[in-house]
Amino acid sequence: MSFDVSADAYTRFMGRYSEPLAVLFAGLAGVRRGQRALDVGCGPGALTAELVGRLGAGAVCAVDPSESFAAAVRERLPGVEISVAAAERLPFPDGVFDAALAQLVVHFMADPVAGLREMGRVTRRDGVVAACVWDHGGGRGPLTSFWRAVRELDPSARDESELAGVSEGHLAGLFERAGLAGASATTLTVRVRHATFEQWWHPFTLGVGPAGDYVASLTARRRRLLRERCRELMNAGPVDVSATAWAVTSRG
């Protein structure tokens, strides 16, 4: 799967959902003025920006393995400490954050348990570790209609329903395996309106993530067939999408 794309491409593809989700997610984690927070797998900075709005730039750190995403966040949010690093090897001492958050990242970590364990390591004993992932397994994520159309035309295609943490109970189970006690699970739902079908469809052609990789792999003819099947499912517009994420927090 590819995240070797521009920050603009990712924002056009997933930012329309991740930005409103960040507001709910930071609220669930109880992020408040006076704390120091870490955004793990920050991407182009949807959650980072929300944390800065709540805490101030000097109280926020962020990491991402993508050089282009890290550069975009540095430009977007001056004053935030940005590091190019994977979740499994965070470049911080033990217990330096009040909150460590990972939004829409755990299911793409090379080793989700190790990544969550690292988040716990850099968080104070009385702090919070939090993560959220789309409910791809339960068919309530933002890409559900897209993958439904894909499977109708190509039953052998692999969607995102088997990724780590995307089914009920799986994310909490990863927290338990990482040694993060007292994990509490809930759901967060955002609703996004796209004015036209084309506004909904075009970001899938930008090569972002598993969905973008799949579209890029198609011949021109098969891409047209997929686009038309999606149009039949979504209608001409406006296109309203309800997207639900599993969210787990571990406090203390």
Side-chain angles (χ1 to χ4, degrees):
M1 69 192 70
S2 176
F3 287 98
D4 185 19
V5 296
S6 70
D8 178 68
Y10 182 88
T11 298
R12 292 171 66 186
F13 177 71
M14 191 52 65
R16 50 195 172 164
Y17 306 106
S18 59
E19 290 177 0
L21 179 65
V23 178
L24 301 180
F25 184 43
L28 176 70
V31 175
R32 60 190 184 277
R33 184 70 61 176
Q35 292 182 330
R36 189 178 185 218
L38 171 65
D39 182 1
V40 176
C42 62
L47 176 60
T48 318
E50 177 63 23
L51 296 176
V52 168
R54 290 169 180 252
L55 306 178
V60 177
C61 295
V63 301
D64 198 277
S66 166
E67 293 272 5
S68 63
F69 286 172
V73 178
R74 288 191 189 99
E75 182 176 354
R76 177 183 179 184
L77 300 168
V80 174
E81 181 184 336
I82 310 293
S83 301
V84 177
E88 295 86 350
R89 293 191 176 184
L90 296 174
F92 305 102
D94 295 356
V96 293
F97 296 101
D98 299 290
L101 300 88
Q103 175 171 292
L104 308 180
V105 173
V106 169
H107 50 322
F108 294 124
M109 290 180 183
D111 186 337
V113 172
L116 290 169
R117 187 179 295 123
E118 271 288 270
M119 291 172 64
R121 179 186 65 79
V122 301
T123 303
R124 296 187 176 100
R125 286 184 175 274
D126 60 348
V128 59
V129 176
C132 65
V133 295
W134 293 124
D135 181 20
H136 294 307
R140 296 186 297 170
L143 311 182
T144 295
S145 294
F146 169 82
W147 286 117
R148 173 185 169 188
V150 168
R151 288 192 301 272
E152 288 179 1
L153 298 172
D154 181 7
S156 66
R158 296 188 65 181
D159 58 20
E160 299 175 57
S161 62
E162 296 181 2
L163 295 176
V166 302
S167 297
E168 184 173 6
H170 287 192
L171 185 58
L174 293 173
F175 269 65
E176 182 178 353
R177 289 169 57 192
L180 298 171
S184 176
T186 188
T187 58
L188 302 172
T189 299
V190 298
R191 293 173 176 81
V192 177
R193 167 163 286 197
H194 308 270
T196 64
F197 170 79
E198 289 301 330
Q199 188 183 87
W200 176 86
W201 165 257
H202 180 69
F204 287 97
T205 69
L206 300 178
V208 181
D213 282 352
Y214 182 82
V215 172
S217 75
L218 299 176
T219 63
R221 175 181 173 277
R222 291 180 64 200
R223 188 180 299 192
R224 285 195 299 272
L225 288 173
L226 176 59
R227 177 180 175 278
E228 288 311 306
R229 182 55 186 139
C230 285
R231 181 191 287 274
E232 292 170 0
L233 291 175
M234 306 301 292
N235 69 51
V239 176
D240 293 314
V241 178
S242 175
T244 295
W246 298 110
V248 175
T249 55
S250 172
R251 302 180 188 277

Short mmCIF file of all heavy atoms in Angstrom, two decimals, residues 3 5 33 48-49 56-57 65 72 98 108 116 121 148 177 182 202 212 227:
data_model
loop_
_atom_site.label_atom_id
_atom_site.label_comp_id
_atom_site.label_asym_id
_atom_site.label_seq_id
_atom_site.Cartn_x
_atom_site.Cartn_y
_atom_site.Cartn_z
N PHE A 3 1.66 5.25 0.87
CA PHE A 3 1.46 6.56 1.46
C PHE A 3 2.60 7.48 1.04
O PHE A 3 2.85 8.50 1.65
CB PHE A 3 1.36 6.46 2.99
CG PHE A 3 0.06 5.85 3.44
CD1 PHE A 3 -0.02 4.52 3.78
CD2 PHE A 3 -1.10 6.61 3.49
CE1 PHE A 3 -1.22 3.95 4.17
CE2 PHE A 3 -2.31 6.04 3.89
CZ PHE A 3 -2.36 4.71 4.23
N VAL A 5 2.88 9.75 -1.03
CA VAL A 5 2.12 10.71 -1.82
C VAL A 5 2.26 12.08 -1.18
O VAL A 5 2.76 12.21 -0.06
CB VAL A 5 0.62 10.32 -1.89
CG1 VAL A 5 0.44 9.00 -2.62
CG2 VAL A 5 0.02 10.22 -0.49
N ARG A 33 -5.60 22.08 28.09
CA ARG A 33 -4.52 23.05 28.31
C ARG A 33 -3.66 22.65 29.51
O ARG A 33 -4.18 22.21 30.53
CB ARG A 33 -5.12 24.44 28.54
CG ARG A 33 -4.12 25.57 28.67
CD ARG A 33 -3.42 25.90 27.38
NE ARG A 33 -4.33 26.33 26.32
CZ ARG A 33 -3.92 26.75 25.12
NH1 ARG A 33 -2.64 26.77 24.82
NH2 ARG A 33 -4.80 27.12 24.20
N THR A 48 -2.77 16.72 14.65
CA THR A 48 -1.76 17.65 15.19
C THR A 48 -2.34 19.05 15.31
O THR A 48 -2.14 19.73 16.32
CB THR A 48 -0.51 17.68 14.29
OG1 THR A 48 -0.16 16.37 13.87
CG2 THR A 48 0.66 18.31 15.02
N ALA A 49 -3.04 19.49 14.28
CA ALA A 49 -3.63 20.83 14.30
C ALA A 49 -4.65 20.97 15.42
O ALA A 49 -4.72 22.01 16.09
CB ALA A 49 -4.28 21.14 12.96
N GLY A 56 -1.46 24.53 22.31
CA GLY A 56 -0.39 25.42 21.87
C GLY A 56 0.72 24.60 21.21
O GLY A 56 0.97 23.45 21.59
N ALA A 57 1.38 25.19 20.23
CA ALA A 57 2.37 24.45 19.44
C ALA A 57 3.51 23.91 20.29
O ALA A 57 4.03 22.81 20.04
CB ALA A 57 2.92 25.34 18.32
N PRO A 65 6.56 8.36 9.66
CA PRO A 65 7.67 7.81 8.89
C PRO A 65 7.85 8.44 7.52
O PRO A 65 8.88 8.23 6.88
CB PRO A 65 7.29 6.32 8.76
CG PRO A 65 5.81 6.29 8.90
CD PRO A 65 5.47 7.39 9.86
N ALA A 72 5.34 18.71 5.55
CA ALA A 72 4.09 19.46 5.42
C ALA A 72 3.60 19.96 6.77
O ALA A 72 3.09 21.09 6.88
CB ALA A 72 3.03 18.57 4.77
N ASP A 98 1.76 13.62 28.57
CA ASP A 98 0.50 13.37 29.28
C ASP A 98 -0.45 12.55 28.43
O ASP A 98 -1.33 11.85 28.96
CB ASP A 98 -0.18 14.70 29.63
CG ASP A 98 0.69 15.54 30.54
OD1 ASP A 98 0.85 15.16 31.71
OD2 ASP A 98 1.21 16.58 30.07
N PHE A 108 -2.07 0.42 10.10
CA PHE A 108 -0.99 0.48 9.12
C PHE A 108 0.40 0.35 9.76
O PHE A 108 1.41 0.43 9.06
CB PHE A 108 -1.07 1.79 8.32
CG PHE A 108 -2.30 1.88 7.46
CD1 PHE A 108 -3.17 2.96 7.59
CD2 PHE A 108 -2.59 0.91 6.52
CE1 PHE A 108 -4.31 3.05 6.79
CE2 PHE A 108 -3.73 0.99 5.72
CZ PHE A 108 -4.59 2.07 5.85
N LEU A 116 1.90 0.39 19.98
CA LEU A 116 1.12 0.79 21.15
C LEU A 116 1.95 0.70 22.43
O LEU A 116 1.83 1.56 23.32
CB LEU A 116 -0.13 -0.08 21.27
CG LEU A 116 -1.21 0.14 20.21
CD1 LEU A 116 -2.26 -0.95 20.26
CD2 LEU A 116 -1.86 1.52 20.38
N ARG A 121 5.09 3.56 26.70
CA ARG A 121 6.39 3.84 27.31
C ARG A 121 6.65 5.34 27.45
O ARG A 121 7.17 5.80 28.48
CB ARG A 121 7.52 3.21 26.47
CG ARG A 121 8.92 3.48 27.01
CD ARG A 121 10.00 2.98 26.09
NE ARG A 121 10.03 3.69 24.81
CZ ARG A 121 10.58 4.90 24.63
NH1 ARG A 121 11.10 5.57 25.65
NH2 ARG A 121 10.58 5.45 23.44
N ARG A 148 -17.37 -2.08 -1.59
CA ARG A 148 -18.50 -2.91 -2.03
C ARG A 148 -18.52 -2.98 -3.55
O ARG A 148 -18.69 -4.08 -4.14
CB ARG A 148 -19.81 -2.31 -1.52
CG ARG A 148 -21.05 -3.02 -2.07
CD ARG A 148 -22.34 -2.34 -1.65
NE ARG A 148 -23.48 -2.85 -2.36
CZ ARG A 148 -24.71 -2.35 -2.31
NH1 ARG A 148 -24.95 -1.29 -1.54
NH2 ARG A 148 -25.68 -2.87 -3.01
N ARG A 177 -2.67 -6.70 24.59
CA ARG A 177 -1.43 -7.39 24.26
C ARG A 177 -0.22 -6.47 24.45
O ARG A 177 0.89 -6.95 24.74
CB ARG A 177 -1.48 -7.90 22.83
CG ARG A 177 -2.43 -9.08 22.64
CD ARG A 177 -2.66 -9.37 21.18
NE ARG A 177 -1.40 -9.65 20.48
CZ ARG A 177 -1.30 -9.70 19.15
NH1 ARG A 177 -2.36 -9.48 18.40
NH2 ARG A 177 -0.13 -9.98 18.60
N GLY A 182 -6.63 -1.19 31.62
CA GLY A 182 -7.82 -0.35 31.76
C GLY A 182 -8.32 0.23 30.46
O GLY A 182 -8.86 1.34 30.43
N HIS A 202 -13.09 11.55 -7.18
CA HIS A 202 -11.76 11.95 -7.65
C HIS A 202 -10.63 11.61 -6.68
O HIS A 202 -9.56 11.13 -7.13
CB HIS A 202 -11.73 13.45 -7.98
CG HIS A 202 -10.38 13.91 -8.45
ND1 HIS A 202 -9.85 13.53 -9.67
CD2 HIS A 202 -9.43 14.68 -7.86
CE1 HIS A 202 -8.65 14.06 -9.81
NE2 HIS A 202 -8.37 14.75 -8.74
N GLY A 212 -6.43 3.71 -3.12
CA GLY A 212 -5.75 4.37 -4.22
C GLY A 212 -4.85 3.43 -4.99
O GLY A 212 -4.76 3.50 -6.23
N ARG A 227 -15.87 3.10 -11.59
CA ARG A 227 -16.43 4.44 -11.37
C ARG A 227 -17.93 4.44 -11.59
O ARG A 227 -18.68 5.02 -10.79
CB ARG A 227 -15.75 5.43 -12.32
CG ARG A 227 -16.28 6.84 -12.24
CD ARG A 227 -15.52 7.73 -13.22
NE ARG A 227 -16.08 9.07 -13.27
CZ ARG A 227 -17.15 9.40 -13.99
NH1 ARG A 227 -17.78 8.49 -14.72
NH2 ARG A 227 -17.60 10.64 -13.97
#
